[in-house]
Structure formats: structure tokens, C-alpha cells
Amino acid sequence: MQAYQPAARDVITQAEVDAAVAHITREPGAECLRVVVFGAAELAPEGERSLRALTAGPQYPATGRPGIEVTAIVPLPGAEVEVVTLDAGTRLVRTHEDGAEVRRLVHVAAPGRDGSTFEQALAALRGLEAVLSRAGMAPDHIDRTWYFLADIEETYGDLNKARDATFDRWKLTTYPASTGIGAGLPPGQAVAVMAEAVARDGVAAATPFGTDLQCAPYDYGPRFVRANRSRRNGCQVVHISGISSIDKQGVSLPQHDVRAAVDYAMASFTDLLAGADLSPEDLVSCYVYCKDAEARSAFEAHCSDAGLTLPHLSNTVDVCRPELRFEIEGRAVRREPA
């Protein structure tokens, strides 16, 4: 279950975050797993909160009101579901399905305050490794990661070095879906990290796949996949990584025609959905990143022309390459027939 709450002001307060969480957890048995804030925020100190929120503000003048995303689980009547709090930023969901134990970890890393982007990223990934171990899970169970960078144009390479070193140490051969994007982070924080993992009887449950419109990211550098899918709790779940206007050779498309660039990114995005036999109607969450107002207008025009109404948060930030102006990611869920 995912829901978005628009902020009442231009700066999101702790009271608004608490109200959004309370709105979701009114459902009987609901347990909140994660909170994401897009926009400027004034939150209580972490020690005064029971649930860590990732905050990613705009880097440029924003268009539209900031927002809050709440991710929660609401067990069906009679379902065997256990939600374990490992720390303020980490929830483990344990269920049983078809005789198998399914574990899902949802993790918001503690914010780094000291050191370079490389050092903060390494520390966040070490923290992720520690909570995976506490959850009885392993690094190859990770199916989704997010990296929000305060200065992505200068530090994306440092993030990739930290990720490569960690993945080498973990001996990963199958990579998660992922997003690396700019963000306006709190003072001192160079990178904010979120991750999710899923395992079925201790075995990685996610299967990666791609689109013919774009090459695999690891063909030109970053170690992640375009998308992956898994089955859990009677649902097919698809994660789509951050998708921009990059062609089959890994080259950025010209950005002078921003509408054409947005159209190509959206064609790649919807092709990935189709590759899992899903459609935009199955999307439950999207993050949209626009470098400027023109890119945002092009995205809105694309959605209007295509008749798309997407559940999304948007931010005005730098994309993974300096020349790119638009990126979109998503999560889609479809219940399987009983």
C-alpha cells in the first residue's frame, strides 16, 4: 500500500509527516514501512521520531507543492504477517506463501554527517549489510536501491566507486534496480540511501529484465539493471529503475528538443512495464525528476497526450548526466488470480 499526501505549505513539517502516517495507519493492522519527503522539510531530530524519513529537497526553484509518500503494509484478514522493527529506518516483513517463507526488508539509511560522498556511501552500504544480516538476509537479496546525491554532477563517479567496491566485496553478479539522482539534502549530508530486499526461503526472489530501447546500464558503467520483478503475497511486483533518454548504445539523446527526450524516456519506461505484462494502470508509485520547468512541462504534456494519470512525487534536480533533463522511475503491482 502506498499513498501520497500533498504538503499544506512550501516547507514540510513534522506534523504533516505524522498526519500522513496517521492517515495511512488508520487501516486495521496497518504498519508503516517507509516515509519519503520531496521538498524542503523541517523535521524533528531523528531521536524524537519512531520512523526515519528520507528527505530529498529541490536543487532548483521547484514547480508545484512538495509531497510526502507513505509506504505501508495492510495484512488481509487471516494472513500470517509479522512486521519487525530493526531500527528507526528499517522494517522487516515476514510472511508465508505456498509453504515458503518470504522476507521483505525496507531500509532508510541513517543520514551521514561527516566525510566525502565516497565515505558516506560506503558507510551507508555497510549499514545496509548489517541490517540484512540481522534480518537473516544477504546482499544478493537486494532488489532496489536509491542514491540521492547533493552534488551529483561532481560526485556520481564517487558513488559508483563505493558501490563497485561494495558489490565486489559482496561478490554480486546480479544487480538491483536502482536510481542515482540529485537532491537538496540536509546540511552535511552528501548522499541519502534507501534500499529494499526480498527473499523466498533464503533465495533471491527478483529476476532482472530490460528493454530493447536502452542497453543495460552496466554495459557503460553503473552496476544496476533497468528493471526486475518478483512474486510475493499473491502479487507480481516490478521495480523500474530511473529511466532517462539514453539510447541502445548508452548515449544520451540530444536534449534541445526536451519533449522528444521525455517521449523517449517514457517509451522506454512503458516498454519495461509491457515486458512484465503490466501497464501504467498497475503503477502504485513513481518518482519524477525534472531539471527545469521546460522538462516538467514536457512531461505533463506527454501524460496529457497519452491519457496517463500517474501516482507520483516530483522534484526539480540534476539527473545522473549533466546534459540530461528528465528521469522517471516506478513500482508496479498486480494481484495474481486466486
Side-chain angles (χ1 to χ4, degrees), residues 236-252:
Q236 181 181 186
V237 180
V238 170
H239 293 296
I240 299 179
S241 297
I243 301 297
S244 192
S245 48
I246 295 173
D247 67 15
K248 292 183 285 188
Q249 286 72 46
V251 176
S252 301

Side-chain angles (χ1 to χ4, degrees), residues 13-32:
T13 65
Q14 185 65 52
E16 287 173 303
V17 172
D18 292 343
V21 172
H23 174 77
I24 296 301
T25 53
R26 287 184 305 177
E27 295 284 338
E31 293 271 3
C32 188

Side-chain angles (χ1 to χ4, degrees), residues 2-63:
Q2 301 207 204
Y4 294 92
Q5 295 286 330
R9 303 189 302 128
D10 291 337
V11 177
I12 294 172
T13 65
Q14 185 65 52
E16 287 173 303
V17 172
D18 292 343
V21 172
H23 174 77
I24 296 301
T25 53
R26 287 184 305 177
E27 295 284 338
E31 293 271 3
C32 188
L33 304 180
R34 188 183 75 191
V35 175
V36 177
V37 175
F38 269 22
E42 296 174 351
L43 304 184
E46 186 176 329
E48 299 176 13
R49 291 181 269 148
S50 61
L51 186 68
R52 182 179 298 137
L54 185 142
T55 59
Q59 292 174 312
Y60 302 106
T63 302

Side-chain angles (χ1 to χ4, degrees), residues 28-331:
E31 293 271 3
C32 188
L33 304 180
R34 188 183 75 191
V35 175
V36 177
V37 175
F38 269 22
E42 296 174 351
L43 304 184
E46 186 176 329
E48 299 176 13
R49 291 181 269 148
S50 61
L51 186 68
R52 182 179 298 137
L54 185 142
T55 59
Q59 292 174 312
Y60 302 106
T63 302
R65 195 166 294 283
I68 305 163
E69 179 192 47
V70 179
T71 303
I73 184 168
V74 182
L76 294 174
E80 295 182 44
V81 179
E82 181 184 17
V83 180
V84 180
T85 298
L86 299 182
D87 60 40
T90 311
R91 302 294 188 270
L92 171 66
V93 181
R94 290 197 293 233
T95 61
H96 288 83
E97 182 177 324
D98 300 332
E101 183 193 52
V102 178
R103 296 190 178 205
R104 177 189 177 199
L105 187 80
V106 179
H107 176 67
V108 179
R113 298 299 184 198
D114 299 303
S116 65
T117 300
F118 177 79
E119 291 166 337
Q120 289 190 21
L122 277 182
L125 290 168
R126 284 194 298 268
L128 172 57
E129 184 177 8
V131 295
L132 283 166
S133 178
R134 291 171 59 194
M137 302 177 74
D140 64 346
H141 298 156
I142 301 168
D143 61 340
R144 188 63 168 94
T145 56
W146 292 260
Y147 304 93
F148 296 90
L149 294 150
D151 186 3
I152 190 169
E153 291 191 1
E154 295 295 327
T155 62
Y156 190 49
D158 295 328
L159 166 67
N160 285 327
K161 289 176 184 176
R163 174 166 52 186
D164 289 352
T166 302
F167 283 8
D168 285 343
R169 184 168 57 81
W170 288 346
K171 297 181 171 58
L172 286 192
T173 56
T174 299
Y175 305 127
S178 192
T179 300
I181 200 73
L185 299 178
Q189 190 171 11
V191 57
V193 179
M194 292 195 304
E196 297 186 8
V198 61
R200 188 180 180 86
D201 276 349
V203 177
T207 303
F209 65 99
T211 170
D212 290 339
L213 295 175
Q214 298 195 10
C215 67
Y218 48 79
D219 284 348
Y220 57 82
R223 296 194 201 178
F224 66 95
V225 297
R226 291 292 176 205
N228 59 32
R229 55 186 162 190
S230 61
R231 178 181 176 272
R232 61 173 184 259
N233 305 324
C235 297
Q236 181 181 186
V237 180
V238 170
H239 293 296
I240 299 179
S241 297
I243 301 297
S244 192
S245 48
I246 295 173
D247 67 15
K248 292 183 285 188
Q249 286 72 46
V251 176
S252 301
L253 295 182
Q255 301 293 298
H256 62 275
D257 185 346
V258 67
R259 175 60 193 270
V262 168
D263 287 348
Y264 192 87
M266 292 301 296
S268 303
F269 183 78
T270 54
D271 189 60
L272 285 162
L273 283 172
D277 296 322
L278 300 181
S279 71
E281 287 72 28
D282 296 303
L283 289 163
V284 297
S285 173
C286 295
Y287 295 166
V288 175
Y289 309 101
C290 301
K291 190 163 186 173
D292 50 43
E294 187 180 7
R296 187 180 304 279
S297 295
F299 167 68
E300 292 169 350
H302 175 96
C303 290
S304 177
D305 292 348
L308 292 176
T309 302
L310 303 181
H312 71 281
L313 289 178
S314 60
N315 213 352
T316 310
V317 295
D318 288 325
V319 186
C320 61
R321 297 180 183 181
E323 70 274 11
L324 295 176
R325 300 169 65 185
F326 172 80
E327 188 168 319
I328 183 171
E329 63 175 73
R331 185 200 311 263

